[in-house]
């Protein structure tokens, strides 16, 4: 991407530091909640991943053990402001993958719980796409504010 | 370089998550490699009344008429064919209609829950519900309908 285009995209991103702080708190808080609710019962989460019928048994198990911790670490670091851009990048990637998974699951017509928030999970449906999209938007804004800050200072 | 630093930090977070996640769940990993979760991810210590059974064991319970067979597949699949004498509790439909609370089964006695086969999980989910309802002996026949019909065992249909 050339610099002109990049500047154009960053120009459209939100740079207000208070709004960005709210974004960080919202995304960080959501992921801490999501992560902790899954850490409590890794087997439940492993079964939820297996229900998507995308990953083999072993990978579902591995993801169920590791993914919630990555979510919590990213969430905490977003809120504390340590490694916030790396966290925002990682969470944006995760959210993008979740969006693809949810869409594919809806298209395949598989009726399952999303497994996003442990016992409190809702169904995989369009509302979930909306929520993930909003979080992705917040998260991308946090990540791209990195460039904005550097240009400013 | 800023990009390199960013990627290093991403890698650090991933590594940290990996170490903590695998470290804390070491006992589960051990169980995984011992084959405890080959039928599904369920803690048999938490769900004490649930056991997994093979085709042979299911056949034994069937011929001795010792257990109630419960088919957790959708109504249409059940009507098209099911294990002879089985009753239908279509898990997904009941869940959608919040009808799972209405199930009543006596806590004593053995039930065998099954669905299609290893690809389905409604038998596992239904077994969890039955456990919460206080049933004391729930067997999950994981081979399910696929294994049963492959062996040519007794079936019936409602069509």
């Amino acid at each position: 991407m050339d610099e002109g285009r990049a500047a154009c995209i960053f120009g459209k991103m939100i740079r207000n530091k208070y709004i960005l702080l709210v974004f960080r708190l919202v995304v960080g808080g959501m992921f801490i909640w999501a992560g902790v609710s899954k850490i409590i019962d890794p087997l439940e989460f492993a079964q939820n991943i297996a229900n998507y019928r995308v990953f083999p048994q072993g990978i579902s198990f591995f993801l169920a053990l590791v993914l919630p911790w990555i979510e919590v670490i990213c969430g905490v670091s977003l809120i504390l402001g340590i490694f916030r851009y790396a966290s925002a990048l990682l969470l944006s990637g995760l959210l993008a993958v979740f969006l693809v998974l949810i869409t594919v699951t809806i298209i395949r017509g598989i009726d399952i719980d999303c497994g996003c928030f442990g016992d409190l999970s809702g169904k995989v449906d369009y509302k979930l796409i909306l929520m993930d999209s909003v979080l992705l938007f917040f998260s991308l804004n946090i990540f791209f504010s990195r460039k904005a800050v550097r240009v400013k200072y | 370089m800023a990009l390199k630093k960013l990627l290093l930090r991403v890698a650090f977070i991933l590594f940290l998550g990996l170490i903590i996640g695998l470290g804390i769940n070491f006992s589960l990993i051990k169980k995984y490699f011992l084959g405890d979760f080959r039928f599904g991810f369920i803690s048999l210590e938490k769900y004490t009344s649930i056991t997994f059974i093979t085709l042979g064991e299911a056949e034994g319970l069937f011929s001795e008429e010792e257990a109630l067979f419960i088919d957790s597949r959708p109504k249409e699949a059940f009507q098209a064919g099911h294990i002879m004498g089985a009753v239908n509790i279509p898990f997904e439909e009941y869940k959608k209609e919040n009808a799972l609370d209405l199930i009543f089964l006596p806590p004593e006695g053995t039930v065998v829950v099954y669905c299609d086969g290893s690809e389905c999980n409604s038998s596992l989910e239904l077994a969890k519900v039955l456990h919460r309802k206080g049933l004391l002996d729930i067997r999950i026949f994981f081979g399910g309908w696929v294994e049963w019909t492959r062996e040519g065992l007794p079936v019936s249909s409602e069509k």
Side-chain angles (χ1 to χ4, degrees):
Chain A
M1 195 187 289
D2 63 81
E3 267 184 42
R5 260 185 77 195
C8 181
I9 290 171
F10 299 139
K12 283 177 189 160
M13 290 290 181
I14 291 163
R15 289 181 185 182
N16 182 301
K17 64 178 178 181
Y18 297 108
I19 295 179
L20 285 171
L21 178 67
V22 172
F23 284 2
R24 273 171 46 206
L25 294 179
V26 170
V27 179
M30 284 294 269
F31 272 94
I32 291 174
W33 178 35
V36 169
S37 65
K38 289 180 281 205
I39 284 168
I40 294 167
D41 196 347
L43 289 179
E44 183 81 36
F45 183 44
Q47 189 57 46
N48 281 325
I49 301 176
N51 291 349
Y52 278 88
R53 292 180 231 163
V54 173
F55 306 108
Q57 189 91 340
I59 302 216
S60 299
F61 182 65
F62 173 78
L63 285 175
L65 302 189
V66 175
L67 193 63
W69 285 100
I70 293 174
E71 290 181 347
V72 169
I73 295 168
C74 286
V76 171
S77 77
L78 267 191
I79 288 178
L80 296 182
I82 310 159
F83 289 1
R84 73 178 89 160
Y85 303 115
S87 294
L89 180 64
L90 245 175
L91 291 184
S92 301
L94 276 180
L95 285 163
V97 173
F98 293 164
L99 274 171
V100 172
L101 258 182
I102 295 162
T103 312
V104 169
T105 304
I106 292 174
I107 292 170
R108 287 169 74 195
I110 305 175
D111 181 29
I112 51 170
D113 287 333
C114 74
C116 325
F117 300 106
D119 276 347
L120 296 167
S121 298
K123 284 270 167 203
V124 169
D125 57 13
Y126 294 102
K127 270 183 280 177
L128 198 59
I129 292 190
L130 185 72
M131 190 184 83
D132 270 19
S133 306
V134 171
L135 286 176
L136 180 60
F137 172 75
F138 286 4
S139 181
L140 283 175
N141 270 292
I142 299 163
F143 176 67
F144 283 115
S145 67
R146 170 177 172 260
K147 294 276 177 187
V149 170
R150 264 210 293 142
V151 172
K152 215 167 157 186
Y153 298 107
Chain B
M1 244 180 80
L3 184 68
K4 199 176 158 194
K5 205 164 133 189
L6 181 76
L7 292 179
L8 268 174
R9 287 176 174 181
V10 168
F12 174 74
I13 294 172
L14 289 175
F15 182 71
L16 198 63
L18 189 80
I19 295 295
I20 301 176
L22 297 184
I24 283 189
N25 295 302
F26 187 68
S27 61
L28 282 181
I29 296 170
K30 227 160 72 183
K31 280 184 187 167
Y32 178 82
F33 283 108
L34 287 172
D36 276 21
F37 307 129
R38 63 188 180 281
F39 297 118
F41 296 108
I42 182 171
S43 163
L44 295 177
E45 283 128 34
K46 187 172 158 194
Y47 294 97
T48 43
S49 58
I50 297 178
T51 42
F52 287 96
I53 57 169
T54 60
L55 176 70
E57 289 166 298
E59 203 186 338
L61 287 165
F62 177 80
S63 55
E64 286 160 24
E65 294 181 8
E66 274 182 8
L68 172 69
F69 278 68
I70 300 174
D71 189 318
S72 63
R73 297 174 303 154
K75 212 153 109 196
E76 301 79 50
F78 177 82
Q79 283 170 347
H82 53 261
I83 294 179
M84 196 180 273
V87 294
N88 188 208
I89 300 182
F91 180 76
E92 293 299 340
E93 289 153 57
Y94 274 35
K95 195 179 171 193
K96 222 179 267 173
E97 294 159 9
N98 291 321
L100 289 169
D101 289 339
L102 304 176
I103 301 171
F104 174 75
L105 287 166
E108 299 85 17
T110 306
V111 296
V112 176
V113 193
Y114 72 92
C115 49
D116 272 324
S118 56
E119 276 293 296
C120 67
N121 73 311
S122 62
S123 57
L124 189 72
E125 295 301 324
L126 180 62
K128 285 183 190 171
V129 172
L130 295 180
H131 170 86
R132 284 194 281 269
K133 283 184 172 291
L135 269 74
L136 298 170
D137 187 9
I138 305 155
R139 321 270 177 105
I140 299 177
F141 168 36
F142 209 66
W145 178 243
V146 172
E147 256 186 27
W148 190 265
T149 45
R150 196 191 292 145
E151 291 298 310
L153 293 165
V155 297
S156 54
S157 72
E158 291 174 10
K159 275 184 181 165

